Amino acid sequence: MKRLSIPFVFIALIFSLICCQNNKLSNNDNNQIDGHPAWIMQGNIYEVNVRQYTPEGTFNAFAKHLDRLKAMGVQTIWFMPINPISKLDRKGSLGSYYAVSDYTAINPEFGTMDDFKKLVQSIHDKGMKVLIDWVPNHTGADHRWITQHPDFFVKDSSGKPAVAFDWNDTRQLNYKNQVLQDSMVRAMKYWIEDTDIDGFRCDVAWNVPASFWRKSIPELKKMKNVFMLAEGDSTYLPKSGFDAVYPWHMFKMMEKVAKGEKSALVLDSINTENETLYPKNTIQMYFTSNHDENSWNHADFGTFPGVIHEPFAIFTQTMKNSVPLIYSGQEEPILRALKFFDKDPMTFKNFQREKFYKTLLNLRKNNEALSANASFKKVNLGDDKAIYAYVREKGSKKVLVILNFSASEQTISIKDATLTGKAHNIFKGNEETLSSKEWKMKPWGYEVYEY
């Protein structure tokens, strides 16, 4: 038998190693923890408003930011709806992303289907994941189903497709219709099969029947180990198969604490409520802003203004049972409400919070103590009405978070001997020796330590 040359053997070995690595990555992608994709447990989500992200407002223009976002530590990119927008009853000059006219097509405002597929591939090549925003509760006012399948819609008193809530550019879908349900599932499957996305953020998921989610989510997860995020906090959502829900009760309390209307103690009541209401392994997506909160409620620049933002951002990045969200432009930061129905591009120039977010995202990625299922324990380090301190722990890893949720300087004293000794201060980047000696924390101050 002819002997292989040394170079050929070397090349074959390298090829084998690459294949093994790719198989390893693929297997990891298929792993689950507590019923959720393993890749989300120490992951994070970055919401992309394609229309406003660049002057061009296209997939190709956004793609130029991928390397920057990867370097910041972004792991999962969630695109606001990428479907065409209805023209009938359209709001503003461009319309609402959530008034969909075709579930299996691309909004030409953003580019082409090929542009999107290339973008997904590029994101995957960089080791990141992709979610798309899905609008299952209603369609736009001129969706083709209105004429082709009028029985897919709830009817108003005049027999016409009913407006969903008070959103007069939309029409309410009728989930009592089995063919509608099947059509919706097929449309969702299309995006997994044809574009290789990694999951869905489901708009107004709380108004779609549990029976649909119980049927559709298992079918989607058979195709791929997708992550399913529900916009809503109803307990039936995680019970129906969603991996994560919105933490609306906690978010509203965060806002009250930021305004000084409630003390930090109120956050414990929400933790207790969550433990009572939700299945044990439910994940919540914590945030200080998103597209709705920015455009309609002036988050985060109005709800968590100035120095108040940082301790609450740390809270969203380090809480138990969480996956954290960063909205487009928060790393800049964009300190205004973006228009929802018209072009209003943001400008990236200063990246003032980029280092701050990078520190938190990398900590979560590299320290299993911040995994969604890591343990959580409140600790008393001062006035509990102002100081919110807790320990996250898993395996041999431990993280101590100390947050001053008040406008007053606070005294900190670590009395728990398991928290004293050498620890790494993640923001200062140095090793410290923690002791029971008292020290002061500035208003809206914070410290995060790794052990």
Side-chain angles (χ1 to χ4, degrees):
M1 185 174 72
K2 184 177 179 181
R3 295 182 61 186
L4 295 175
S5 67
I6 295 298
F8 187 90
V9 170
F10 180 74
I11 292 171
L13 177 60
I14 294 298
F15 180 78
S16 176
L17 289 173
I18 291 173
C19 288
C20 288
Q21 182 64 21
N22 287 339
N23 287 336
K24 181 180 179 181
L25 291 172
S26 177
N27 290 336
N28 287 341
D29 281 352
N30 291 328
N31 289 345
Q32 291 195 347
I33 297 175
D34 296 337
H36 309 302
W39 52 262
I40 200 64
M41 301 302 283
Q42 286 176 239
N44 61 76
I45 301 173
Y46 184 93
E47 182 185 4
V48 175
N49 185 332
V50 179
R51 174 183 292 168
Q52 315 298 19
Y53 210 89
T54 61
E56 301 89 342
T58 63
F59 295 133
N60 291 339
F62 166 72
K64 298 174 183 177
H65 288 262
L66 287 178
D67 287 335
R68 173 181 69 79
L69 293 172
K70 166 98 174 151
M72 191 172 80
V74 170
Q75 182 240 20
T76 297
I77 291 177
W78 152 28
F79 291 103
M80 290 174 66
I82 58 175
N83 306 107
I85 296 171
S86 288
K87 294 180 180 179
L88 181 64
D89 295 336
R90 175 175 284 193
K91 294 183 178 182
S93 61
L94 295 173
S96 168
Y97 318 84
Y98 295 88
V100 173
S101 67
D102 188 337
Y103 283 114
T104 55
I106 288 287
N107 184 350
E109 177 189 347
F110 301 154
T112 66
M113 183 65 78
D114 281 343
D115 291 338
F116 181 69
K117 289 180 179 180
K118 290 175 183 176
L119 179 58
V120 172
Q121 185 60 57
S122 182
I123 292 169
H124 285 165
D125 288 345
K126 296 179 190 301
M128 297 186 284
K129 303 292 185 181
V130 180
L131 307 181
I132 63 170
D133 215 324
W134 195 253
V135 191
N137 178 72
H138 51 266
T139 71
D142 60 10
H143 192 288
R144 58 186 175 83
W145 284 351
I146 291 176
T147 54
Q148 295 176 1
H149 302 282
D151 53 336
F152 281 11
F153 295 85
V154 174
K155 300 299 191 293
D156 62 18
S157 58
S158 68
K160 295 179 180 179
V163 170
F165 302 101
D166 60 350
W167 307 324
N168 60 13
D169 57 342
T170 69
R171 301 295 184 266
Q172 180 66 53
L173 287 165
N174 175 21
Y175 274 85
K176 292 180 180 179
N177 187 303
Q178 188 62 50
V179 180
L180 174 274
Q181 292 195 32
D182 294 341
S183 299
M184 187 63 70
V185 174
R186 280 199 301 271
M188 297 178 82
K189 287 181 175 180
Y190 165 82
W191 290 95
I192 298 174
E193 184 174 356
D194 274 41
T195 70
D196 200 27
I197 62 165
D198 303 292
F200 298 88
R201 177 267 186 188
C202 295
D203 184 66
V204 196
W206 50 269
N207 201 48
V208 176
S211 57
F212 173 74
W213 296 127
R214 288 197 298 266
K215 170 187 175 181
S216 61
I217 293 177
E219 288 191 35
L220 299 176
K221 286 182 175 285
K222 285 179 183 177
M223 297 179 68
K224 190 174 183 179
N225 192 21
V226 292
F227 175 69
M228 299 295 295
L229 167 64
E231 186 203 19
D233 59 2
S234 301
T235 57
Y236 88 84
L237 293 168
K239 293 177 182 177
S240 300
F242 277 100
D243 296 291
V245 296
Y246 274 46
W248 284 125
H249 290 191
M250 183 66 84
F251 182 75
K252 296 304 178 185
M253 285 303 179
M254 288 164 56
E255 290 183 314
K256 291 180 183 295
V257 173
K259 292 177 181 177
E261 296 175 359
K262 296 284 186 180
S263 79
L265 283 171
V266 75
L267 303 178
D268 287 331
S269 67
I270 305 300
N271 275 332
T272 300
E273 177 185 87
N274 289 340
E275 290 173 358
T276 303
L277 291 177
Y278 292 118
K280 181 180 178 182
N281 299 318
T282 300
I283 297 173
Q284 297 189 353
M285 183 184 70
Y286 278 72
F287 50 83
T288 55
S289 184
N290 58 44
H291 64 271
D292 281 324
E293 292 301 318
N294 169 265
S295 291
W296 311 121
N297 299 320
H298 295 178
D300 65 49
F301 63 95
T303 50
F304 305 101
V307 296
I308 297 176
H309 172 262
E310 291 187 349
F312 284 97
I314 293 170
F315 182 77
T316 67
Q317 292 274 342
T318 58
M319 268 303 286
K320 65 175 180 177
N321 303 123
S322 70
V323 59
L325 172 76
I326 298 172
Y327 178 52
S328 294
Q330 282 195 278
E331 69 271 33
E332 175 61 17
I334 303 298
L335 302 177
R336 62 184 172 88
L338 297 170
K339 294 179 182 178
F340 207 81
F341 310 116
D342 303 283
K343 186 64 178 167
D344 185 17
M346 59 188 77
T347 300
F348 290 96
K349 181 180 179 181
N350 299 313
F351 305 103
Q352 292 177 350
R353 292 179 183 164
E354 187 174 66
K355 183 179 179 181
F356 171 77
Y357 281 129
K358 182 175 182 178
T359 299
L360 288 167
L361 295 175
N362 284 333
L363 176 66
R364 182 178 174 88
K365 174 184 177 182
N366 297 320
N367 194 316
E368 65 177 342
L370 292 184
S371 176
N373 65 349
S375 68
F376 170 92
K377 182 180 72 173
K378 270 293 295 293
V379 291
N380 183 295
L381 303 185
D383 181 359
D384 280 347
K385 293 181 179 180
I387 296 298
Y388 200 83
Y390 49 93
V391 175
R392 302 292 310 282
E393 193 166 2
K394 188 175 183 181
S396 61
K397 300 291 186 178
K398 183 164 61 178
V399 171
L400 169 64
V401 180
I402 311 172
L403 306 171
N404 182 2
F405 283 146
S406 79
S408 303
E409 183 180 75
Q410 297 294 322
T411 300
I412 306 296
S413 178
I414 301 177
K415 299 175 182 178
D416 186 340
T418 65
L419 300 178
T420 58
K422 291 184 178 180
H424 178 72
N425 187 314
I426 71 159
F427 287 105
K428 294 177 181 175
N430 59 11
E431 301 299 318
E432 296 184 14
T433 301
L434 302 179
S435 69
S436 59
K437 184 179 179 180
E438 291 185 353
W439 49 281
K440 302 293 183 181
M441 178 173 281
K442 65 183 180 180
W444 307 110
Y446 53 88
E447 298 289 359
V448 179
Y449 295 98
E450 280 186 290
Y451 292 81

